């Protein structure tokens, strides 16, 4: 994906082009997660982070990791992630 932004934006936020791109994806993921547009797993994927790293960023930016609109769906997604992570390797 190509991001176009004003040429002086990197200087304004005092970062490199790579860091700026990562920050833009993180901010988009955080906001979409906060607005319940993305699940925690998909938001983490968009941000290029593990679920744990994304949860840490949620804390840093004060984004609640709890989804009050659909707690059952969030719990099911979390349980599936745990099952996948703890399943024995296929032979």
């Amino acid at each position: 994906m190509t991001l176009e932004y004003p040429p002086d934006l990197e200087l304004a936020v005092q970062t490199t082009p790579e860091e700026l791109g990562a920050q833009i994806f993180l901010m988009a993921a955080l906001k979409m997660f906060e607005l319940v547009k993305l699940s925690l797993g998909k938001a983490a994927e968009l941000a290029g982070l593990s679920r744990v790293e994304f949860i840490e960023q949620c804390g840093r930016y004060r984004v609640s990791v709890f989804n009050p609109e659909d707690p059952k769906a969030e719990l099911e997604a979390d349980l599936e992630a745990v099952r996948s992570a703890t399943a024995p390797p296929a032979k």
Side-chain angles (χ1 to χ4, degrees):
M1 174 183 273
T2 302
L3 297 172
E4 293 186 26
Y5 51 84
D8 60 344
L9 186 60
E10 294 161 17
L11 183 59
V13 295
Q14 300 175 350
T15 189
T16 67
E18 294 79 20
E19 291 169 337
L20 181 58
Q23 280 295 108
I24 289 170
F25 278 107
L26 173 60
M27 295 300 128
L30 286 167
K31 193 61 181 179
M32 285 191 258
F33 175 69
E34 183 178 42
L35 295 173
V36 195
K37 300 291 183 186
L38 289 177
S39 68
L40 185 112
K42 285 296 180 187
E45 187 178 327
L46 175 62
L49 302 173
S50 71
R51 290 171 64 94
V52 171
E53 291 168 327
F54 186 75
I55 289 170
E56 289 171 352
Q57 292 302 314
C58 285
R60 179 177 179 200
Y61 289 101
R62 295 189 166 112
V63 173
S64 176
V65 295
F66 300 103
N67 178 355
E69 292 186 26
D70 194 357
K72 183 179 177 189
E74 188 70 23
L75 179 59
E76 288 172 357
D78 289 344
L79 287 172
E80 183 57 36
V82 169
R83 285 185 195 112
S84 296
T86 59
K91 292 184 179 183

